[in-house]
Each structure stands twice: as structure tokens, then as C-alpha cells.
Amino acid sequence: EAMCSGKLQTGLLVAGYFVYLLVGAAVFQALERTAEKQEKMAAAQMKEAFLQTFTQLTVAEMEQFMKNLTEAIQNGVYPVGNESQLEESNWDFSNSFFFAGTVVSTIGYGTLHPRTAGGQIFCVFFALFGIPLNIVFLHRVGKMLSLLCKKLGKFLYEKGMRKKKIKFLTLLFFLATGILVFLCLPSVFFRITEGWSYSEGIYFAFITLSTIGFGDYVVGKQSDRNYFSYYRVLVAIWILFGLAWIALLFNL
């Protein structure tokens, strides 16, 4: 009977999971398809206007120009601005540290990636050993934070509170504190530094700490903004401790 009940629960979970994915896919399609069509039409109109303005270009030359421009952007090269902006490196220490953090945390935004054979091979071995190391690190930090949970629980128990209530209040405390420290406050910081809206900051923080990492919003990538030194290093540290907080929540 217990086995049948377990199979039923597993079946319902699998069915619910796929239904959830299907509903989500339908909603995304409904929300995004029209906007995508409008963007494609706008791009086609822009391309046509460019051809009409620069009549000396052939269609084949225009296609090649667009292809080269797209490849450059995909490779993290934005051919805009003056020469000083073009000379700025995507692989300075701050950016490299940030990239290393996104590798071991498996976020992988995709906006910055190694292009050389040596860099790619090194990235494989760096991730091979770095990801388990990151798991051990998060486990240790989570363990340290769990000691705070125990101390808080012991304090509340001495005050005569029941164990079930203590567990609930402890989870609520670390959930609320984490949301404030790792989602709300950083979003204010991103709003000031990146010029994003507060909702965009919340969105970026959640997508990052959940390790989804779409790459549509990435810190320190806007050419018209002056970022302070080691800005992305601080963001990488925030990511690591934010992941530790999430690991603690799962443990709780």
C-alpha cells in the first residue's frame, strides 16, 4: 500500500511538473511572440532604410556587414564609442574574476567566454575542479550559518517556545534577512550603478542566485557608464554568499 502511494505521488509529481512546464511555455509564447514579431519587423525596416541611404552597398555586402556585426556582439565586442572605449579589455582582473565565479557557480551568462584554444581547455579543467570546490565552499558556509540557526533556536527554546514554532521562526528569520541582504539591497545598488529599474535589479538578482543566468542582464557591460575598480569582483563575492544563503534555506 505504501509502495502504491509512493508511485502515485511520483506519478502526480511528474505529471504536475510537465503540466507546469507546458502552461509556462504557453504563457511565455502568448506574452513574447507578438513582441518578437514587432522586433523582427523593426529590424527589417532598419536594414531596408540603411540600404536606401547607402546605395553603393550591394545586398550581399550588407548581409556580410550584418553577419560580422552580429558575430562581434556575440563575442563580447561592441564596436561603438571612441577609441578609448574600444581599448578597454573584457579580460581585466575584475572581469576575469567575475567570469571565474560564474563558471564555478554554473551560472554561465554566456556574454563572456574564452575564444582561444588554450583558454577553452583551461576553462574545462578549471570548471572540472572548481565546481566541486564551490559545492564544498557553499556547504561549509551554509554549515557556519546553520550554527547561527542553532544558537537562535537555543535562545528561543530557553525562552519557553515550542520546537515547531522555533523551526518556523528560524526559517522565516533567515528567509526575510536573506531577501533583504541578497535581493532587495543589491537591487538598489544595481539601480544606482547600472541605471536599471528596481524591478530589473530584483529580476537580475533572482536569475543570478538561482543560477539560471539568462545573460540578458549582466553587470558592468554598459559602455556609457563608468564603473569603479573591482566592481564585478564585489558582485562575484555577493553571488557566492548569495548561493550559500540559498543552500542554507534548502537545508532548513
Side-chain angles (χ1 to χ4, degrees):
E1 187 177 345
M3 188 178 294
C4 290
S5 178
K7 287 181 178 179
L8 178 62
Q9 289 178 357
T10 302
L12 289 173
L13 178 62
V14 171
Y17 176 75
F18 279 101
V19 168
Y20 186 81
L21 292 180
L22 290 170
V23 171
V27 173
F28 281 127
Q29 187 180 38
L31 292 173
E32 299 294 330
R33 199 168 187 177
T34 303
E36 183 191 31
K37 285 183 179 179
Q38 291 174 351
E39 288 178 1
K40 286 183 177 180
M41 289 175 60
Q45 291 171 357
M46 179 187 67
K47 187 175 177 181
E48 185 179 351
F50 186 86
L51 278 171
Q52 290 174 355
T53 305
F54 296 91
T55 53
Q56 69 272 22
L57 286 177
T58 65
V59 174
E61 288 172 337
M62 179 60 191
E63 292 291 343
Q64 187 61 43
F65 169 75
M66 296 295 289
K67 182 180 178 182
N68 293 341
L69 182 63
T70 302
E71 288 179 356
I73 293 173
Q74 287 175 344
N75 293 333
V77 177
Y78 300 90
V80 294
N82 53 36
E83 291 183 2
S84 63
Q85 288 176 324
L86 294 176
E87 289 172 0
E88 292 179 0
S89 174
N90 286 326
W91 289 100
D92 58 18
F93 178 79
S94 180
N95 286 336
S96 299
F97 185 90
F98 182 78
F99 172 75
T102 59
V103 169
V104 298
S105 62
T106 70
I107 295 172
Y109 291 115
T111 55
L112 185 63
H113 50 85
R115 296 291 298 171
T116 64
Q120 290 170 349
I121 295 299
F122 176 74
C123 185
V124 170
F125 286 98
F126 181 76
L128 188 64
F129 295 100
I131 293 172
L133 178 63
N134 183 63
I135 293 171
V136 172
F137 170 78
L138 295 179
H139 177 72
R140 180 58 60 90
V141 175
K143 206 170 184 179
M144 291 170 61
L145 292 174
S146 67
L147 293 176
L148 295 176
C149 294
K150 289 181 180 179
K151 288 183 179 180
L152 177 62
K154 186 178 180 181
F155 173 77
L156 294 174
Y157 185 74
E158 290 174 352
K159 295 293 182 180
M161 198 172 289
R162 295 175 60 186
K163 286 186 177 181
K164 284 187 177 180
K165 193 173 183 181
I166 290 173
K167 287 182 179 180
F168 173 74
L169 289 176
T170 302
L171 176 61
L172 185 64
F173 172 76
F174 278 93
L175 179 63
T177 304
I179 289 174
L180 177 65
V181 173
F182 294 108
L183 291 178
C184 297
L185 293 180
S187 298
V188 175
F189 178 71
F190 294 137
R191 181 179 181 181
I192 297 169
T193 309
E194 298 288 344
W196 297 337
S197 66
Y198 187 73
S199 61
E200 288 173 327
I202 289 284
Y203 168 78
F204 167 76
F206 177 80
I207 292 299
T208 295
L209 296 184
S210 62
T211 71
I212 296 171
F214 287 128
D216 49 350
Y217 288 86
V218 182
V219 295
K221 296 297 291 183
Q222 300 184 61
S223 58
D224 59 339
R225 287 189 169 268
N226 294 321
Y227 300 102
F228 61 88
S229 299
Y230 304 114
Y231 165 56
R232 298 187 100 191
V233 171
L234 292 177
V235 175
I237 294 171
W238 160 73
I239 289 172
L240 293 175
F241 282 95
L243 292 175
W245 164 65
I246 289 177
L248 171 66
L249 288 182
F250 281 125
N251 288 336
L252 289 176

